[in-house]
Amino acid sequence: MSATKTSLTPPDDAVPPVRHPDAPAPGEPLGAHYAQCFGCGTEQPHGLHIDARAGEGVSVTAEFTVRPEHQGAPGLAHGGLLSTAMDEILGSLNWLMHTISVTGRLETDFLQPVPVDSVLYLTARVTARHGRKIYCTATGHIGGPDGPLAVRADALFIEVKVEHFVDHGRKDEIEAAMADPDTVRRARAFEVNP
């Protein structure tokens, strides 16, 4: 990607996203893509532990509980942490297309404070594809899917090959992920942004 600002608006000749025929059915949990991931990993004690579920079309949903270790100002979620939650839910969309991609650009709008102990209901969907570019959007509502809108994000993901992670990741962890006998879990380890 160039150093110039990349638009989050798909070009006129972008195409609608296509759900992969082997994608999990709507309502099915996607699970953690990698146990050490700060966003969804089960082995991160202070991680977000976001558990996304497949939605209709190319969309996902999740719930995220803001814990005391997630605060910035006293009693409120840290803004960077909320951006991380949005990046995680947006990255989960890749599994529905069976595409490996990384975050190229993420723009987050904070519409109201999110108190500690709040449950944030996240939804994300892919809006378009153009070559290697994947355009997507997400929202976070407090207290329920129809609760107050607290945060929203638009993102551009860039499709990459697994070599991106091999070339830039830590060798021991890459080798451990590649050696996993579970082919689905092995593939999923490389599905979301590094």
Side-chain angles (χ1 to χ4, degrees):
M1 294 199 35
S2 69
T4 62
K5 189 172 181 178
T6 304
S7 174
L8 294 173
T9 303
D12 292 339
D13 60 342
V15 298
V18 175
R19 184 187 187 102
H20 192 278
D22 295 330
E28 285 188 19
L30 301 181
H33 79 279
Y34 179 58
Q36 294 296 324
C37 176
F38 184 79
C40 67
T42 56
E43 295 179 16
Q44 284 292 336
H46 298 296
L48 305 185
H49 302 148
I50 292 176
D51 187 17
R53 292 187 172 275
E56 297 293 331
V58 186
S59 70
V60 294
T61 62
E63 295 177 15
F64 163 56
T65 301
V66 178
R67 300 190 313 262
E69 58 267 28
H70 299 147
Q71 61 191 313
L76 298 174
H78 189 286
L81 186 117
L82 293 175
S83 289
T84 300
M86 299 307 271
D87 190 43
E88 183 65 32
I89 191 75
L90 289 159
S92 296
L93 292 163
N94 294 313
W95 184 235
L96 299 180
M97 298 179 294
H98 285 215
T99 300
I100 300 171
S101 68
V102 295
T103 309
R105 180 158 183 233
L106 174 67
E107 186 173 293
T108 306
D109 297 314
F110 305 99
L111 306 171
Q112 70 177 44
V114 179
V116 168
D117 297 326
S118 293
V119 177
L120 201 58
Y121 289 78
L122 306 172
T123 60
R125 65 184 174 86
V126 176
T127 59
R129 291 197 65 159
H130 187 260
R132 294 177 46 224
K133 296 179 179 180
I134 302 166
Y135 297 86
C136 42
T137 189
T139 58
H141 293 261
I142 297 174
D146 298 321
L149 180 62
V151 60
R152 66 177 171 227
D154 292 303
L156 172 66
F157 280 73
I158 307 298
E159 185 175 357
V160 296
K161 302 292 183 201
V162 73
E163 288 77 21
H164 169 86
F165 299 94
V166 173
D167 292 345
H168 301 287
R170 293 188 338 181
K171 183 179 178 188
D172 293 346
E173 292 171 14
I174 297 294
E175 288 174 356
M178 295 293 275
D180 192 321
D182 183 325
T183 56
V184 171
R185 199 169 52 220
R186 181 173 58 237
R188 292 215 48 219
F190 302 100
E191 75 178 358
V192 182
N193 53 320

